[in-house]
Amino acid sequence: MFYREAGDFKTSYSADNQTFPIRFDRLGYYTALLVAFLVIPFLINDYWANAILLPFLIYAIAALGLNILVGYCGQVSLGTGGFMAVGAYACYKLMTSFPEVNIFFHVILSGGITALVCVVFGLPSLRIKGFYLAVATLAAQFFLVWMFNRVSWFYNYSASGQINAPERTVFGIEVTGPNTEAWATYLFCLVFTVVSALIARNLTRGMAGRKWMAIRDMDIAAEIIGVNPLKAKISAFAVSGFFVGISGALFFAVYLGAVEVGEAFGITKSFLVLFMIIIGGLGSIFGSFAGAAFLVLLPVVLKVVGVDWLGWPTDIVAHLQLVIVGGLIIMFLILEPHGLAQLWRVTKQKLRLWPFPH
């Protein structure tokens, strides 16, 4: 059969430890990358970019960051929206203060600034965990939103309190501002998403990822066998903040173009990203993408089916979306805590064993 490991002989440790041991998976992965980079940019339009592709790519980066912290290291966080706001406002200040620097570096620096802020608010994790850590990060969420609302320096003393992304280009092509093309913004976000996924994948499979998982499973035993809980937890907060900051910068500069912190990065944003990794699967890179895709596509599908086809009122469809998401979270937490990623792993395992029963 086409989905088998028979005949795929490994002659090195790197080949034995590869991400996709089955040739069919490798071909599918590289085909998906080729389609994403070489086909979709020629077919994309404004609707597909703004309604589906850009939100999916940006939320996938945020879900990757939160999944590293919650899924791999076991540190509960409810401050994702606030940390995304740090990335957005850092990117805004960098873009207005250093207009001659490329937007690409502004986004990366925004991730670094967010990582530092995330480390500061992650220090309580050295003493507290579980519900108390969740409350501490929730406090960070409210404090950061309050600070960006009250301190006018962050929005350059604007009378409206809103920040607007200036026009910036990459290789002479506009990626921020009102005159951007859909394919340009899509490719700009796609590069960050692919690179973030590769970095996250290698980190979680390496020594850092093993330390995070040891802390998650049993922190006292991990410390006994030599894992430094200080370095492990702080590094998880830093890496998570870096990815979340990048997503916040892209969300502001490329996707929305103008934001008001209370509306764009409120507590609902923190819960949305948390729901993505719960439904997609905790401790899974694929789960971050699956959860982001599901929660981005769900309102679009409900609008098409409920409003356009069946003629339901929009408020009924909006409430139905909340009911579906809440029901799925309860179902996954009870029946399949590892989410859509585990269902995908079970499906692949069945394919590898079919038609044998064992």
Side-chain angles (χ1 to χ4, degrees):
M1 296 294 292
F2 61 90
Y3 203 79
R4 292 287 190 274
E5 288 182 281
D8 291 351
F9 300 107
K10 280 75 173 181
T11 57
S12 64
Y13 286 112
S14 59
D16 188 57
N17 198 35
Q18 58 190 341
T19 302
F20 303 105
I22 298 178
R23 186 179 292 111
F24 185 83
D25 285 340
R26 292 196 298 273
L27 293 175
Y29 170 74
Y30 291 120
T31 302
L33 282 183
L34 289 175
V35 170
F37 278 100
L38 302 179
V39 177
I40 293 180
F42 295 99
L43 304 176
I44 193 175
N45 56 33
D46 289 334
Y47 173 77
W48 282 90
N50 295 323
I52 297 176
L53 293 175
L54 289 184
F56 163 67
L57 295 175
I58 294 171
Y59 281 128
I61 300 176
L64 281 172
L66 186 60
N67 216 341
I68 286 176
L69 184 62
V70 179
Y72 283 96
C73 196
Q75 307 303 301
V76 183
S77 174
L78 296 177
T80 309
F83 297 131
M84 288 181 69
V86 173
Y89 277 80
C91 185
Y92 172 70
K93 293 298 294 185
L94 290 171
M95 292 173 71
T96 53
S97 301
F98 306 98
E100 68 281 357
V101 179
N102 194 288
I103 179 64
F104 184 84
F105 299 105
H106 286 158
V107 174
I108 296 177
L109 288 174
S110 301
I113 294 172
T114 310
L116 295 177
V117 175
C118 201
V119 165
V120 172
F121 286 103
L123 290 176
S125 67
L126 305 178
R127 291 288 185 181
I128 59 178
K129 57 184 177 179
F131 171 77
Y132 302 99
L133 181 59
V135 173
T137 54
L138 185 63
Q141 163 74 36
F142 290 119
F143 170 76
L144 291 171
V145 171
W146 173 86
M147 182 179 67
F148 291 130
N149 261 328
R150 294 296 182 180
V151 182
S152 55
W153 178 82
F154 288 109
Y155 49 85
N156 287 349
Y157 307 98
S158 170
S160 63
Q162 190 180 65
I163 58 174
N164 298 277
E167 295 182 1
R168 294 293 181 267
T169 61
V170 176
F171 300 117
I173 302 171
E174 289 192 13
V175 294
T176 64
N179 302 317
T180 57
E181 296 288 341
W183 64 269
T185 55
Y186 163 75
L187 283 178
F188 187 72
C189 293
L190 180 63
V191 169
F192 279 100
T193 304
V194 172
V195 174
S196 298
L198 290 175
I199 294 174
R201 179 63 176 171
N202 285 290
L203 282 175
T204 53
R205 296 182 68 190
M207 184 180 296
R210 296 180 186 278
K211 291 180 179 179
W212 294 338
M213 288 183 279
I215 292 293
R216 175 197 65 189
D217 294 337
M218 190 172 292
D219 53 352
I220 297 177
E223 186 175 6
I224 290 174
I225 64 175
V227 176
N228 189 329
L230 169 64
K231 293 182 179 179
K233 293 181 180 180
I234 292 302
S235 64
F237 271 97
V239 174
S240 173
F242 180 74
F243 288 139
V244 171
I246 287 178
S247 69
L250 294 175
F251 191 77
F252 151 68
V254 181
Y255 179 51
L256 294 181
V259 300
E260 195 280 324
V261 64
E263 297 179 359
F265 302 108
I267 185 63
T268 55
K269 190 72 65 181
S270 298
F271 283 115
L272 178 64
V273 181
L274 182 62
F275 294 161
M276 287 178 182
I277 64 172
I278 291 176
I279 293 175
L282 294 171
S284 169
I285 302 299
F286 172 78
S288 302
F289 284 91
F294 182 85
L295 287 184
V296 168
L297 288 173
L298 179 62
V300 177
V301 172
L302 288 178
K303 179 184 178 300
V304 172
V305 175
V307 178
D308 299 340
W309 291 1
L310 302 177
W312 293 349
T314 54
D315 57 342
I316 296 296
V317 174
H319 287 92
L320 180 61
Q321 176 187 343
L322 297 177
V323 172
I324 292 175
V325 172
L328 285 175
I329 290 174
I330 295 173
M331 183 187 72
F332 277 114
L333 288 176
I334 296 175
L335 301 178
E336 187 49 80
H338 295 289
L340 295 173
Q342 179 62 20
L343 298 180
W344 177 242
R345 281 193 290 265
V346 171
T347 302
K348 292 200 300 181
Q349 188 64 22
K350 295 293 185 182
L351 286 174
R352 295 166 76 175
L353 296 177
W354 186 86
F356 305 105
H358 55 279

